[in-house]
Amino acid sequence: MSFFAGAFSLDRNKPLSPQLCADLRDNLSRHADEQIEQVNTGAFFLLKGDVGAFGVPALLRDDAGNVSAVAGEPLMREGESAPDWDRARDLALLQRQLGASNWDALAQSRGTFCGVHYEQERHLLLLFVDKVGVRPLYVWHDEDVVVFATALRVLEALPQVGKTFDVRGVTEIATFGYPLGTRTAYSGIRMLAGAEVTRCVDGAVGHHNYWDWQAGTPEEGGAQALEQCYDAFLDALRRRQRRAASATCFLSGGLDSRAIVGGLDLIVDELHTVNFAPDHTQDQVFATLVAEKLNTRHAQLVTNGDNVAQGYRKDALALWLKERFGAGSAGLIWSGDGGSVALGHVYLTRPILEAMRRGDRREAVTLFNKGLPGRIIQPAMRKALTALPFQGAEEELAGIASSDPGRAFHLFLLQNDQRRHLVQHFEDLDVERIEFQLPFFDADFLATILRHQCEPYMQHRFYIEWLRKFPNGLATLPWQAYPGHVPCDVAAPAGLKYQWEDYFDSGTVRQMQRNTAARGKRVLGNRSFPRHLISRSALSAAVWMTRLGVRDYAYLINTAYVYDKYWSMCDGGAARTPEA
């Protein structure tokens, strides 16, 4: 299963609204030929769709009327030594364990997944996600019904689900690119935290955690840490590959996808790789060098002003997958998401570490993010709104009890930035039909990192030494290094564009600016424009200066867009707005 949605009556004797069930079905998938499977007991309703990437079903019903389903792959520990173990067996194990009120099975998982478990006799609903919470699951409830979905758009489309503008959540989105903790843009809708189980029984809704990344005191690393990390990563690859003869991977000029491709090169017969960087960039050329060294079947997708805003160039990617593997083939691609933060500790700088050691969380957050662009905010609201993101981040950091202050900030990044990193990918899974294998989010691999002190990992120092352990020479080819991190010590072709300087050509940059200006113009024309929050005159100036190429005010336009988008979605403009 790839995505699901459903509803649960808190009173088992009160059937769910037929209209709610119909609306859920209408909005689960936008794919014209979606094969939707349905469970309806009257007081429990579940819909699921599957793009077929993982090969086996992920919905299980037993004779007692109990129902369990997962999206993604749990990868239970019991399957480590069984080559034929698949997610159907994961699900059967989960159903047995959860039916016995034993959450140990969830604690023994290592994959990226979310799921639902319903017991008819007890009228019990459990909703759960993986240990980081990478696979989203959203929940809303009132006094009568619980509604849940793996895509926020489903809940947004339901008239039965109240949508009250949460100015704190929206301001965090405008500042960080994502809301913090379990918040969303709507005060009544929450996204499950990593390792969370939401339990609905006897008319009540509760929240519990089955895993704690903060447990234990961080140890020193050294050679043993390198060995542990290398072994855990290869094990994560093998566990997901399940002895299949071939694999398909993204391959950029950086380190994360290179590590995956290099590891898979050791365990599969045939590798297909694909790159979507602009021409004459380090990202493109270095990927080609790796592909040539490892003899992969490599492809280059075109990036231009028309598709640059589309994550992973999904339209071009889908066409390439069809051409390479045929129509109807399962879209399953290995992706390096999570590697730069989890292993490379990008964003965790020396000044942030020092601020955390002093106990100055506000300074650490300020160094991480400059804050909300106040110039676009109405003066009467500016002070209140600009304070909200820092308040939220400090609260998140205060809830992390690691004895290593740097590790606490790293966990903050994992539990917020990285947990939300693929939200849009999963939001559009119904139409794009492509699943990712995400070994850098493997829970056992993460555990080998998080048990050690953070400082040796900073600036990719540990990462580079780790890469040298791969026997196929991954560190002998040039790579695109992050600014301020360990520089590449391998000679590279001259004249290549660098991602953080001149990545796109001038034509693409101008097209991006025009696209952003057009977005701002649409916001200005919206009848429900949030004029009490956003300065119309400031936005109008930003739109015209960006459109004419005088200056690029995309950051101001995008801030206004975020507020306008969610204000327009809400019920009658209802809002929780702080005092000015």
Side-chain angles (χ1 to χ4, degrees):
M1 184 161 65
S2 300
F3 43 88
F4 61 82
F8 173 83
S9 175
L10 288 168
D11 182 349
R12 68 187 309 158
N13 297 313
K14 186 175 181 180
L16 293 165
S17 159
Q19 187 61 56
L20 170 60
C21 297
D23 289 343
L24 278 165
R25 187 176 182 88
D26 288 344
N27 290 285
L28 177 67
S29 177
R30 296 161 292 182
H31 184 64
D33 300 320
E34 194 71 70
Q35 299 297 308
I36 297 176
E37 194 165 353
Q38 174 177 308
V39 176
N40 191 350
T41 70
F44 170 72
F45 183 69
L46 178 67
L47 298 164
K48 73 96 173 178
D50 202 323
V51 304
F54 296 112
V56 294
L59 176 65
L60 181 63
R61 287 177 278 187
D62 67 15
D63 294 338
N66 301 320
V67 180
S68 301
V70 294
E73 289 189 301
L75 299 177
M76 311 306 298
R77 197 172 305 283
E78 282 78 354
E80 297 289 315
S81 59
D84 60 341
W85 191 282
D86 56 25
R87 69 172 180 166
R89 294 180 68 179
D90 277 346
L91 186 57
L93 175 63
L94 278 173
Q95 187 175 77
R96 290 196 304 272
Q97 295 272 15
L98 296 176
S101 301
N102 181 0
W103 295 356
D104 184 61
L106 290 170
Q108 298 302 314
S109 64
R110 63 188 298 180
T112 51
F113 65 97
C114 61
V116 53
H117 173 75
Y118 171 70
E119 294 180 28
Q120 186 161 340
E121 183 177 349
R122 290 195 288 170
H123 193 56
L124 164 73
L125 174 69
L126 300 178
L127 303 169
F128 49 87
V129 296
D130 61 73
K131 292 176 182 175
V132 178
V134 173
R135 198 102 188 188
L137 185 52
Y138 302 93
V139 183
W140 172 91
H141 71 88
D142 61 13
E143 65 275 11
D144 297 316
V145 64
V146 178
V147 186
F148 54 91
T150 55
L152 183 59
R153 60 173 177 78
V154 176
L155 300 187
E156 288 176 329
L158 299 177
Q160 300 87 352
V161 171
K163 288 169 284 293
T164 301
F165 186 92
D166 189 332
V167 73
R168 188 173 182 181
V170 174
T171 301
E172 289 169 351
I173 296 171
T175 303
F176 299 112
Y178 46 85
L180 299 174
T182 61
R183 277 188 291 277
T184 68
Y186 313 102
S187 62
I189 301 175
R190 63 192 303 275
M191 176 179 164
L192 268 64
E196 180 181 327
V197 177
T198 291
R199 186 173 186 265
C200 309
V201 67
D202 298 329
V205 178
H207 311 286
H208 312 274
N209 285 86
Y210 66 84
W211 186 259
D212 182 8
W213 288 112
Q214 306 169 44
T217 301
E219 311 164 357
E220 293 187 8
Q224 184 179 7
L226 282 170
E227 194 69 33
Q228 290 172 346
C229 203
Y230 177 77
D231 291 344
F233 189 71
L234 285 190
D235 193 47
L237 300 181
R238 292 191 187 98
R239 187 74 172 85
R240 288 160 174 77
Q241 187 63 16
R242 290 192 177 89
R243 298 188 181 180
S246 67
T248 304
C249 317
F250 290 124
L251 179 57
S252 72
L255 298 178
D256 303 331
S257 60
R258 180 180 302 196
I260 294 173
V261 170
L264 288 171
D265 177 62
L266 304 174
I267 61 177
V268 303
D269 298 328
E270 184 177 58
L271 269 174
H272 301 263
T273 54
V274 60
N275 177 276
F276 48 78
D279 291 338
H280 311 299
T281 59
Q282 292 185 15
D283 219 357
Q284 180 194 64
V285 174
F286 295 170
T288 301
L289 292 175
V290 174
E292 290 173 350
K293 182 177 181 62
L294 300 183
N295 195 31
T296 74
R297 295 188 60 190
H298 191 61
Q300 180 67 45
L301 304 183
V302 174
T303 289
N304 52 40
D306 295 325
N307 70 5
V308 68
Q310 186 184 40
Y312 306 93
R313 316 297 183 266
K314 292 282 185 63
D315 289 345
L317 181 62
L319 181 60
W320 173 74
L321 287 170
K322 181 179 179 180
E323 292 172 348
R324 177 67 61 94
F325 302 106
S329 60
L332 182 61
I333 298 182
W334 292 78
S335 179
D337 292 279
S340 60
V341 173
L343 187 58
H345 286 51
V346 71
Y347 308 139
L348 181 56
T349 64
R350 176 67 54 182
I352 288 176
L353 177 61
E354 292 171 354
M356 289 296 294
R357 285 174 171 170
R358 294 193 305 269
D360 192 343
R361 299 189 189 103
R362 170 58 64 93
E363 175 67 12
V365 175
T366 303
L367 289 166
F368 168 62
N369 188 288
K370 294 179 180 179
L372 182 73
R375 294 172 60 183
I376 204 72
I377 305 300
Q378 287 285 12
M381 297 300 301
R382 192 171 295 159
K383 182 178 180 181
L385 292 189
T386 54
L388 289 177
F390 296 112
Q391 178 185 342
E394 287 184 78
E395 289 174 357
E396 286 290 304
L397 283 166
I400 300 173
S402 175
S403 60
D404 179 348
R407 182 60 71 208
F409 199 89
H410 185 236
L411 282 167
F412 163 76
L413 293 173
L414 285 174
Q415 294 170 359
N416 290 279
D417 175 89
Q418 292 301 284
R419 173 167 150 261
R420 305 272 187 165
H421 183 65
L422 288 165
V423 159
Q424 194 59 49
H425 164 71
F426 291 115
E427 195 76 7
D428 294 329
L429 193 56
D430 60 317
V431 290
E432 294 172 343
R433 320 297 287 179
I434 296 171
E435 286 271 17
F436 288 167
Q437 288 284 24
L438 301 165
F440 280 105
F441 287 118
D442 181 88
D444 288 3
F445 174 70
L446 286 175
T448 67
I449 299 168
L450 296 176
R451 72 166 58 106
H452 298 123
Q453 295 173 1
C454 78
E455 194 164 358
Y457 289 84
M458 292 171 57
Q459 300 171 304
H460 278 80
R461 293 198 307 271
F462 181 96
Y463 202 132
I464 301 303
E465 293 306 310
W466 175 76
L467 202 70
R468 298 188 199 282
K469 290 190 67 65
F470 287 74
N472 39 16
L474 299 184
T476 65
L477 297 173
W479 65 86
Q480 183 169 245
Y482 278 85
H485 284 229
V486 174
C488 176
D489 59 3
V490 181
L496 299 178
K497 297 176 182 178
Y498 181 50
Q499 183 173 340
W500 291 274
E501 291 177 355
D502 54 354
Y503 195 58
F504 298 110
D505 61 56
S506 59
T508 300
V509 170
R510 283 298 296 130
Q511 184 61 52
M512 292 165 67
Q513 291 173 344
R514 286 191 288 268
N515 292 345
T516 302
R519 166 183 276 187
K521 187 177 179 180
R522 289 193 296 271
V523 171
L524 286 167
N526 194 337
R527 292 198 303 176
S528 60
F529 181 85
R531 62 187 73 249
H532 63 300
L533 299 173
I534 299 299
S535 167
R536 181 181 286 275
S537 60
L539 176 58
S540 181
V543 166
W544 281 107
M545 293 185 77
T546 301
R547 179 70 179 86
L548 296 172
V550 177
R551 287 194 63 178
D552 188 351
Y553 283 115
Y555 69 102
L556 293 178
I557 295 170
N558 290 332
T559 298
Y561 168 78
V562 168
Y563 281 98
D564 180 73
K565 172 185 175 181
Y566 292 109
W567 184 258
S568 300
M569 292 293 298
C570 284
D571 303 324
R576 283 172 35 197
T577 304
E579 296 296 327

